[in-house]
Amino acid sequence: MVQQASKFFEDFGFIGMFIHGFIDAIIFPIPAFFTQVSLSMIDPSSAIWLATLGYIACLLGTPFGYLIGRALGEPVLQKFIKQKWIDKATDSFKKNGEAAILIGAFTPIPFKVFTILSGCFKYSLWKLIGYAAIGRAVKYYVVGLAFYFYGQASEEFVTSYLSYIMGGIAIILLGIFYIKRRIQRVKQINIEKQKNYVG
């Protein structure tokens, strides 16, 4: 199925890359990564342009995935989950959404999962686009630059090792967000102690 989808978009060249990048952020189950790799293998000199097309298309598609989640997400969840759990999940996503989105942009998890969840849990659309812009830029351009500078020889690196590297980056980011949250919590506790002491 992955090969068939990649071949379909590959036949349309640059337009196929743009379309796949766009629907990848909305609902299409197969990541645009596969089309990007296929087209970059054919013409490594166009790899950066392909990365740019996929990246722009992904950002343009992000609001549509968000709107799907906003319109359909909660009604669907309410059929299977109690409202109190939806409220807790919404509150948690609002507090930790930036970590989920930024980390998700590096992982093999389909990005539309995060655009739809952001809409479902009413996360800020502008924050979603901002963090998506950072994470997806890294993922698209690492592939693009690898093929542009090393040509077809970079195929093994991209297909075999890139997921591990991105996963490592995601773990590092998760650690940074955890430390940041701990520092904020300690500061809040100290502020409350000072208020109680003054009172």
Side-chain angles (χ1 to χ4, degrees), residues 3 7 14 37 46 48 52 67-68 88 124 166 169 184-185:
Q3 291 178 340
K7 184 66 172 64
F14 293 137
V37 171
S46 66
I48 293 178
T52 301
L67 291 174
I68 289 174
K88 286 185 178 180
S124 168
M166 292 298 179
I169 294 174
Q184 290 175 340
R185 192 172 299 173

Side-chain angles (χ1 to χ4, degrees), residues 159-198:
T159 56
S160 301
Y161 302 107
L162 185 62
S163 293
Y164 295 106
I165 294 172
M166 292 298 179
I169 294 174
I171 292 172
I172 293 171
L173 288 173
L174 185 62
I176 291 171
F177 279 112
Y178 175 77
I179 293 170
K180 178 184 174 183
R181 184 54 54 86
R182 292 285 296 178
I183 292 173
Q184 290 175 340
R185 192 172 299 173
V186 170
K187 286 182 178 180
Q188 186 62 36
I189 291 172
N190 290 334
I191 291 172
E192 290 177 359
K193 285 182 178 179
Q194 289 177 356
K195 287 182 178 178
N196 291 334
Y197 179 76
V198 172

Side-chain angles (χ1 to χ4, degrees), residues 23-38:
I23 60 177
D24 178 28
I26 303 174
I27 198 168
F28 196 67
I30 299 172
F33 166 82
F34 296 103
T35 297
Q36 182 186 8
V37 171
S38 296

Side-chain angles (χ1 to χ4, degrees), residues 47-114:
I48 293 178
W49 175 233
L50 288 166
T52 301
L53 283 172
Y55 175 62
I56 293 173
C58 175
L59 294 186
L60 292 175
T62 294
F64 290 92
Y66 178 89
L67 291 174
I68 289 174
R70 192 68 182 261
L72 303 176
E74 189 166 343
V76 172
L77 287 176
Q78 286 175 341
K79 293 181 179 179
F80 304 99
I81 304 173
K82 292 181 179 180
Q83 185 61 44
K84 65 177 182 179
W85 295 114
I86 295 176
D87 293 339
K88 286 185 178 180
T90 300
D91 183 60
S92 177
F93 203 87
K94 286 180 178 178
K95 290 179 180 179
N96 305 295
E98 69 274 14
I101 295 165
L102 192 55
I103 291 170
F106 288 97
T107 64
I109 300 172
F111 190 61
K112 77 279 299 168
V113 171
F114 299 95

